[in-house]
């Protein structure tokens, strides 16, 4: 659990984190061990079992939401599943990865997060982008001799002409 907490703090403060797949495996291991410890402390019941109950309730609520649906369970599931719900990978271009951030089940469309892989183990968050539309990203690159900007080439559907057009944009990275 310590590795997961350090990774979350590093991602929040320094915008460096472990590789997405490795961080997700650590999260799954935390929840598996929490569920095991909940079952272990069930008989005879100990007070620490209340803490481990979170690891039992989370998948149970997800199952109820999946079975019964409904807005009430969607709102509860969005709050409870937020720590473990994985960001969806939109595209991988060279050493850049674009994730669609989890906004809950009734969240706004299409906020993206761009990260750059360093070595195999670490990802650096470069920028948050929001195109307010579902897009297909072709490529991401740095302009020559300028690593403070990103060139993003993507497809966007234009409703006025009823076709998909390719657009490129330059986004300035925010540095801390």
């Amino acid at each position: 659990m310590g590795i997961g907490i350090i990774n979350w703090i590093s991602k929040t403060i320094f915008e460096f984190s472990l590789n997405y797949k490795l961080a997700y495996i650590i999260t799954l291991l935390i929840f598996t061990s929490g569920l095991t410890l909940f079952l272990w402390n069930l008989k005879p019941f100990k007070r620490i079992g209340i803490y481990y109950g979170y690891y039992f309730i989370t998948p149970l609520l997800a199952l109820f939401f999946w079975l019964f649906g409904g807005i009430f369970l969607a709102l509860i599931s969005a709050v409870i599943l937020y720590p473990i719900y994985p960001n969806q990978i939109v595209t991988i271009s060279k050493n850049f990865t674009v994730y669609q951030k989890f906004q809950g089940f009734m969240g706004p469309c299409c906020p993206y997060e761009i990260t750059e892989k360093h070595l195999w183990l670490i990802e650096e968050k470069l920028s948050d982008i929001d195109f307010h539309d579902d897009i297909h990203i072709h490529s991401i690159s740095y302009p020559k001799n300028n690593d403070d900007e990103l060139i993003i080439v993507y497809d966007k559907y234009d409703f006025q002409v009823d076709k998909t057009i390719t657009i490129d944009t330059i986004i300035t990275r925010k540095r801390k």
Side-chain angles (χ1 to χ4, degrees), residues 4 13 24 31 34 38 41 46 50 53-54 56 60 62 66 71 77-78 84 87-88 113 123 129 137 146-147 158:
I13 295 174
Y24 192 62
F31 268 78
F38 172 75
N41 290 310
K46 298 175 187 164
I50 296 171
Y54 174 79
F56 177 73
L60 194 64
W66 180 72
I71 193 71
S77 295
I84 62 166
N87 290 336
Q88 178 184 357
E113 178 180 283
E123 289 184 349
I129 56 175
I137 296 176
N146 188 0
D147 65 346
D158 189 358

Side-chain angles (χ1 to χ4, degrees), residues 93 96 114 137-144 146 148-154 167-172:
S93 175
F96 298 101
I114 300 174
I137 296 176
H138 289 290
S139 66
I140 301 171
S141 61
Y142 290 121
K144 293 181 181 177
N146 188 0
D148 287 336
E149 295 179 341
L150 296 170
I151 297 175
I152 302 172
V153 179
Y154 63 95
I167 300 173
D168 64 340
T169 186
I170 297 176
I171 294 181
T172 305

Side-chain angles (χ1 to χ4, degrees), residues 72-130:
F72 179 69
L73 286 175
L75 293 173
I76 291 173
S77 295
V79 170
I80 291 177
L81 293 177
Y82 183 77
I84 62 166
Y85 198 86
N87 290 336
Q88 178 184 357
I89 296 176
V90 175
T91 188
I92 298 174
S93 175
K94 297 179 186 171
N95 60 339
F96 298 101
T97 305
V98 179
Y99 299 106
Q100 185 170 2
K101 296 170 84 175
F102 177 66
Q103 296 291 314
F105 298 106
M106 295 179 58
C109 176
C110 313
Y112 298 103
E113 178 180 283
I114 300 174
T115 62
E116 181 180 18
K117 293 181 184 175
H118 295 286
L119 304 172
W120 179 81
L121 212 53
I122 299 173
E123 289 184 349
E124 176 188 8
K125 178 181 170 185
L126 300 178
S127 180
D128 288 324
I129 56 175
D130 194 356

